[in-house]
Amino acid sequence: MEDWDFKTIIEPFRIKMVEDIPILTRAQREANLDRVGHNLFRLQSSEVTIDMLTDSGTGAMSGNQWGALANGDESYAGSRSFAQLHQVVRRLTGYQHIFPVHQGRAAERIMARTVLPPGKVVLNNTHFDTTRANIEQAGAIAEDIPVALAHDPATTDAFKGDMDLDALELALATRRDEIALVMLTMTNNAVGGQPVSMANIEAVSARCRAAGVPFFLDAARFAENAWFIHTREPGYADWSLHQIARRFFELSDGCTMSAKKDGIVHIGGLLCTNKDDWADLFRNELILGEGFITYGGLAGRDLAALAVGLDEALDPGYLRYRSRSIAYFAEGLESVGVPVVRPPGGHAVFVNAGALLPHIPPEQFPGQVFAAAMYLEGGVRSVEVGSLMFPEAGLELCRLAVPRRVYTQSHVDYVIEVAARVAAKAASLRGYQIVEAPPFLRHFLATLAPL
Ligand code: F0G
């Protein structure tokens, strides 16, 4: 791999099993949009040609994962598949206590309900929405302290996912007793899949240890983050990805992980810690809500597939292809006049719809206008990340997430072509108004109408 000097970074896999993609007519797409109130969450997958709604649980498992799945051990207690997963996670992370859960938010919920007392604060570079919701549900307070650069879509700094260390220091110096936990979300999904540097992880860890505050990682995209450290941060080019991952896990006291991303499985998650007292609380809550400690809401076969996927996600050939294909996607969009958040992140390209559609004010949801136009033009499904999802967003984005090992370069070329058509019509696109919306998490179910 190290002597790959071709311009073309090929998909480092060949296809063994295929799934048809629905191709619709424009008239069908138009009727579908009207039927679902211009909300792409309400579409059937049979109505979508290229689905970039999320990279979560949508990856393609390898032959080795499917093979492991067939050999899953479905024993209620002491499953061999759990032993396999435990061994892999221990080697990868070093954590003492390892609990499987059915997905990331289950880990968040167990943690929030056991160790976050009402009124206490959790600091994070940026909480993912389910993390925030689980913390708030427990009566605790979720505070985001990203670096200022995180909200500047134009700068190309390597680690825009970092935490603001001055803000952390100030909080620890002035209200240490309020702070129950510090977290780092890697990569930082909410600000464009931007990575966190090892230097930042080390600094956060040191400050938390000095202050005696527990420090956890939201490790949903740990492998992509490790790749960016390996390729962008001075001093890590000679480290293996496994060494880098082991290092950042060791700097923390535990992690929550949605394994539906870098575990490359369709369902699964992990809650891990080195804190014995917290592990006791997690264990009881796990049994109450998820299942016994050796399966935690998953089938044995899911544990077996995850044990394989975690190592596959750290394969340098795979990560080189993945990061390159996302950069290629971002460059292609820019070349046809579609502005994107820079630099390209690890799992998605975020289109700066506010900049593409300056005639549409935030209250008319430019991110949603772009997303709906991508569907109408070419059956591409994406998700608005702007004023509809987060009313105080500030940035009007549309996320095109890239499922792992699913789409080829020609699919990406097609999406770029669709985006070019949308960009050519940008000036004629009209804003939206909300017809009906639920009181919270409204983006999932709201219906809209063009103005
Ligand atoms: N943390 C991060 C950073 C996430 O991106 C997600 C999910 C979760 C936690 C929750 O994990 O879905 O397994 O319960 N992100 C998905 C997305 C849904 O589309 O970005 P989960």
Side-chain angles (χ1 to χ4, degrees), residues 22-40 43 46-50 371-381 414 418 421 425 432:
I23 309 273
L24 291 86
T25 64
R26 189 183 182 88
Q28 287 171 323
R29 293 192 297 264
E30 203 160 2
N32 293 339
L33 262 187
D34 279 343
R35 192 195 79 239
V36 301
H38 296 253
N39 184 338
L40 307 183
L43 288 169
S46 58
E47 297 167 335
V48 175
T49 300
I50 303 284
M374 288 293 287
Y375 179 73
L376 180 62
E377 216 52 60
V380 177
R381 177 154 71 171
Y414 167 76
V418 173
R421 291 194 189 183
K425 294 182 180 166
Y432 278 123

Side-chain angles (χ1 to χ4, degrees), residues 364-441:
Q364 294 177 14
F365 313 119
Q368 187 66 20
V369 172
F370 181 80
M374 288 293 287
Y375 179 73
L376 180 62
E377 216 52 60
V380 177
R381 177 154 71 171
S382 53
V383 63
E384 187 258 16
V385 182
S387 293
L388 184 61
M389 186 183 276
F390 303 116
E392 339 269 72
L395 283 176
E396 302 301 328
L397 308 178
C398 172
R399 184 184 80 171
L400 293 146
V402 183
R404 292 171 182 76
R405 307 191 291 206
V406 169
Y407 293 122
T408 63
Q409 184 173 342
S410 76
H411 292 123
V412 170
D413 287 339
Y414 167 76
V415 176
I416 294 167
E417 194 180 335
V418 173
R421 291 194 189 183
V422 171
K425 294 182 180 166
S428 68
L429 295 177
R430 287 175 300 151
Y432 278 123
Q433 64 185 8
I434 291 182
V435 177
E436 231 185 301
F440 43 85
L441 295 177

Side-chain angles (χ1 to χ4, degrees), residues 54 56 103-105 108 128 130 185 189 218 220-221 258 260-261 399:
T54 180
S56 182
Q103 63 183 74
R105 67 197 70 181
E108 294 158 5
F128 182 67
T130 59
T185 303
N189 187 6
D218 174 342
R221 298 180 180 84
S258 168
K260 298 170 71 172
K261 285 83 171 173
R399 184 184 80 171

Side-chain angles (χ1 to χ4, degrees), residues 13-172:
F13 48 80
R14 54 183 182 174
I15 296 164
K16 193 172 211 150
M17 196 183 284
V18 299
E19 186 180 1
D20 284 347
I21 285 182
I23 309 273
L24 291 86
T25 64
R26 189 183 182 88
Q28 287 171 323
R29 293 192 297 264
E30 203 160 2
N32 293 339
L33 262 187
D34 279 343
R35 192 195 79 239
V36 301
H38 296 253
N39 184 338
L40 307 183
F41 278 103
R42 290 171 165 269
L43 288 169
Q44 302 298 313
S45 65
S46 58
E47 297 167 335
V48 175
T49 300
I50 303 284
D51 204 343
M52 298 192 151
L53 187 65
T54 180
D55 65 318
S56 182
T58 53
M61 293 208 299
S62 65
N64 282 334
Q65 286 180 287
W66 285 110
L69 198 114
N71 283 313
D73 175 1
E74 304 302 340
S75 303
Y76 191 96
S79 155
R80 183 182 65 242
S81 301
F82 176 70
Q84 287 160 354
L85 176 65
H86 190 275
Q87 191 187 15
V88 169
V89 178
R90 173 65 64 76
R91 167 171 51 73
L92 213 62
T93 66
Y95 291 135
Q96 287 307 305
H97 306 283
I98 296 162
F99 303 111
V101 291
H102 81 274
Q103 63 183 74
R105 67 197 70 181
E108 294 158 5
R109 184 168 165 280
I110 290 170
M111 191 169 72
R113 286 171 60 117
T114 51
V115 300
L116 301 181
K120 296 286 183 185
V121 172
V122 181
L123 301 173
N124 201 325
N125 47 353
T126 314
H127 292 85
F128 182 67
D129 57 7
T130 59
T131 323
R132 169 177 292 277
N134 275 296
I135 290 167
E136 290 175 352
Q137 189 68 29
I141 299 158
E143 281 183 29
D144 294 339
I145 47 169
V147 286
L149 279 176
H151 296 297
D152 179 352
T155 54
T156 55
D157 295 66
F159 293 103
K160 289 162 81 173
D162 281 354
M163 177 177 276
D164 180 343
L165 293 175
D166 291 340
L168 174 65
E169 269 172 19
L170 182 69
L172 291 174

Side-chain angles (χ1 to χ4, degrees), residues 103-434:
Q103 63 183 74
R105 67 197 70 181
E108 294 158 5
R109 184 168 165 280
I110 290 170
M111 191 169 72
R113 286 171 60 117
T114 51
V115 300
L116 301 181
K120 296 286 183 185
V121 172
V122 181
L123 301 173
N124 201 325
N125 47 353
T126 314
H127 292 85
F128 182 67
D129 57 7
T130 59
T131 323
R132 169 177 292 277
N134 275 296
I135 290 167
E136 290 175 352
Q137 189 68 29
I141 299 158
E143 281 183 29
D144 294 339
I145 47 169
V147 286
L149 279 176
H151 296 297
D152 179 352
T155 54
T156 55
D157 295 66
F159 293 103
K160 289 162 81 173
D162 281 354
M163 177 177 276
D164 180 343
L165 293 175
D166 291 340
L168 174 65
E169 269 172 19
L170 182 69
L172 291 174
T174 57
R175 47 195 180 103
R176 155 72 191 85
D177 291 342
E178 287 171 32
I179 297 163
L181 177 67
V182 173
M183 295 185 77
L184 274 176
T185 303
M186 58 166 54
T187 57
N188 194 346
N189 187 6
V191 305
Q194 300 294 328
V196 185
S197 65
M198 189 71 92
N200 195 252
I201 304 166
E202 281 169 348
V204 171
S205 171
R207 282 159 184 74
C208 289
R209 284 189 177 158
V213 174
F215 165 46
F216 269 50
L217 302 174
D218 174 342
R221 298 180 180 84
F222 76 98
E224 289 163 7
N225 204 99
W227 175 256
F228 286 124
I229 291 173
H230 179 63
T231 54
R232 291 182 182 174
E233 191 163 351
Y236 291 96
D238 296 334
W239 287 46
S240 75
L241 296 163
H242 279 85
Q243 285 172 322
I244 290 170
R246 176 77 185 218
R247 169 80 182 141
F248 59 59
F249 283 120
E250 280 179 346
L251 286 165
S252 73
D253 299 306
C255 79
T256 57
M257 185 195 295
S258 168
K260 298 170 71 172
K261 285 83 171 173
D262 278 345
I264 325 187
V265 288
H266 303 134
I267 194 73
L270 292 168
L271 175 60
C272 304
T273 187
N274 293 326
K275 287 172 66 64
D276 297 337
D277 51 343
W278 282 21
D280 288 339
L281 299 168
F282 293 167
R283 203 174 284 116
N284 294 329
E285 188 69 24
L286 184 78
I287 292 174
L288 202 60
E290 291 280 293
F292 190 60
I293 54 171
T294 59
Y295 72 87
L298 293 168
R301 56 178 179 267
D302 300 325
L303 305 171
L306 177 55
V308 177
L310 286 169
D311 274 327
E312 288 184 357
L314 277 177
D315 180 273
Y318 157 74
L319 284 168
R320 174 186 312 222
Y321 136 78
R322 179 150 174 84
S323 71
R324 180 62 205 130
S325 63
I326 288 176
Y328 172 88
F329 186 13
E331 289 158 13
L333 290 172
E334 288 196 317
S335 76
V336 298
V338 175
V340 303
V341 173
R342 289 184 177 156
H347 68 293
V349 178
F350 288 65
V351 168
N352 188 349
L356 179 69
L357 306 169
H359 60 290
I360 302 179
E363 60 275 16
Q364 294 177 14
F365 313 119
Q368 187 66 20
V369 172
F370 181 80
M374 288 293 287
Y375 179 73
L376 180 62
E377 216 52 60
V380 177
R381 177 154 71 171
S382 53
V383 63
E384 187 258 16
V385 182
S387 293
L388 184 61
M389 186 183 276
F390 303 116
E392 339 269 72
L395 283 176
E396 302 301 328
L397 308 178
C398 172
R399 184 184 80 171
L400 293 146
V402 183
R404 292 171 182 76
R405 307 191 291 206
V406 169
Y407 293 122
T408 63
Q409 184 173 342
S410 76
H411 292 123
V412 170
D413 287 339
Y414 167 76
V415 176
I416 294 167
E417 194 180 335
V418 173
R421 291 194 189 183
V422 171
K425 294 182 180 166
S428 68
L429 295 177
R430 287 175 300 151
Y432 278 123
Q433 64 185 8
I434 291 182

